[in-house]
Amino acid sequence: MNKRGIPLMVVFASLLAACAIGYQARGSLSDVPGELRGKGFPGNSSGGGRFILADSDGRLQCDGQLSPPDISPNPGTCEGEAGKGIVRCNDGREVTVRWMAITCRSFEGGGEDKFGNRLIFRVDRKN
């Protein structure tokens, strides 16, 4: 093994460990039966983030992109921060959403597509 292989293995192992402690996402769409489940990916230090949801069959998949907060009522903490985002699904729907931080490890939000179908979601850090 060359000298570069060891640092790469350490970095790879660190990334795998970081993924083991992740965020779970769940939600529902008013016109889709059952719960949607997936993963969440926090944003950088300025906030925002991303989440992916899918139905139990994996046919419907939705990708949520959340912008950094536009409201920060409590300086020094992320609790109460809120912002906007867009969720795009593989069936062509787009849902403009608002999100709000419940804690620094969880947020929830929702919105409606152009047909009035409601999306509700929540993302929490796994323990």
Side-chain angles (χ1 to χ4, degrees), residues 23 25 39-43 47-52 62-67 107 123:
Y23 288 77
K39 292 191 173 217
F41 309 94
R50 182 173 172 232
F51 64 89
I52 297 173
C62 299
D63 186 349
Q65 300 285 331
L66 304 178
S67 299
F107 59 88
V123 178

Side-chain angles (χ1 to χ4, degrees), residues 11 20 32 36 48 56 64 68 75-77 90 93 116 122 127:
V11 169
V32 176
L36 305 173
S56 60
T77 181
N90 64 350
R93 81 176 74 209
R122 182 176 173 124
N127 293 333

